[in-house]
Amino acid sequence: METRANYLMVGGFVLLLATGLVVFVLWLAKFQFDVRFDHYDIRYESSVTGLQVGSPVRYRGVRVGEVTDISLDPKHPNQVLVTVEVEGRTPVRSDTYATLELEGLTGGLYVLLSGTSLDAPPLEKQKDERRPVIASRRSTLQQVLEGAPELVQKVDLLLARASDL
């Protein structure tokens, strides 16, 4: 004898469960429908060791995007081209510059955007570029590390003179 089954209720429950699963996955992935992103390139002449695709981009300390690509610049082989994706509401102007900063104790790097003034015009793409290019500067940490060999030589000379005395 066949039991009575309500196929409409079972189908509705399955559809409701599938819809709930899709909504949960979108929420879990933090899927944002209304956020517009702008893409910029940054050229670095120094090493970007520690910077990875997916590293954060911060504007004055607030996370506004992430690094989407790191490659050697085909036009300038001695430079590294870093492509970043930044929220469209971030005020990137012609005087904005980027530095690489150390993130915590892990040794990873992030891109810090700074130096924007309200009266500067928005950053525009140049005719020979794929995207607008944000100027880069050396961070304080990079300046210290670049001066480290000279400092070690001076300390070595000081110790040699002290031992002569």
Side-chain angles (χ1 to χ4, degrees):
M1 181 162 191
E2 187 174 330
T3 62
R4 186 173 166 193
N6 193 342
Y7 297 109
L8 187 59
M9 284 182 59
V10 172
F13 179 75
V14 169
L15 286 176
L16 183 66
L17 187 65
T19 304
L21 182 65
V22 168
V23 168
F24 176 72
V25 167
L26 290 177
W27 173 78
L28 192 61
K30 296 179 183 171
F31 194 81
Q32 299 173 346
F33 294 103
D34 58 348
V35 176
R36 180 181 59 89
F37 289 98
D38 295 328
H39 292 82
Y40 298 96
D41 286 337
I42 306 169
R43 285 195 183 92
Y44 290 101
E45 292 186 10
S46 59
S47 173
V48 295
T49 302
L51 187 68
Q52 300 175 1
V53 172
S55 292
V57 175
R58 300 183 192 276
Y59 176 79
R60 297 188 179 190
V62 178
R63 186 178 178 135
V64 294
E66 66 181 27
V67 174
T68 58
D69 187 41
I70 302 172
S71 63
L72 293 175
D73 188 355
K75 295 178 185 174
H76 307 94
N78 61 337
Q79 295 180 348
V80 178
L81 189 64
V82 176
T83 303
V84 295
E85 179 182 69
V86 177
E87 291 179 14
R89 60 187 172 90
T90 306
V92 178
R93 307 240 182 235
S94 59
D95 62 345
T96 301
Y97 61 89
T99 58
L100 294 176
E101 300 294 333
L102 192 62
E103 185 172 33
L105 298 174
T106 61
L109 295 178
Y110 69 91
V111 177
L112 179 65
L113 302 178
S114 305
T116 302
S117 61
L118 296 175
D119 57 342
L123 185 63
E124 298 291 330
K125 181 182 100 158
Q126 301 297 321
K127 60 183 172 182
D128 59 336
E129 301 292 340
R130 315 183 285 168
R131 296 180 190 93
V133 177
I134 299 174
S136 67
R137 293 187 184 171
R138 287 187 169 91
S139 68
T140 307
L141 177 66
Q142 288 175 321
Q143 292 172 1
V144 168
L145 291 178
E146 286 175 2
E150 183 179 328
L151 180 65
V152 168
Q153 287 176 349
K154 287 182 180 180
V155 168
D156 188 38
L157 179 63
L158 181 66
L159 289 175
R161 288 183 180 171
S163 71
D164 288 342
L165 284 173

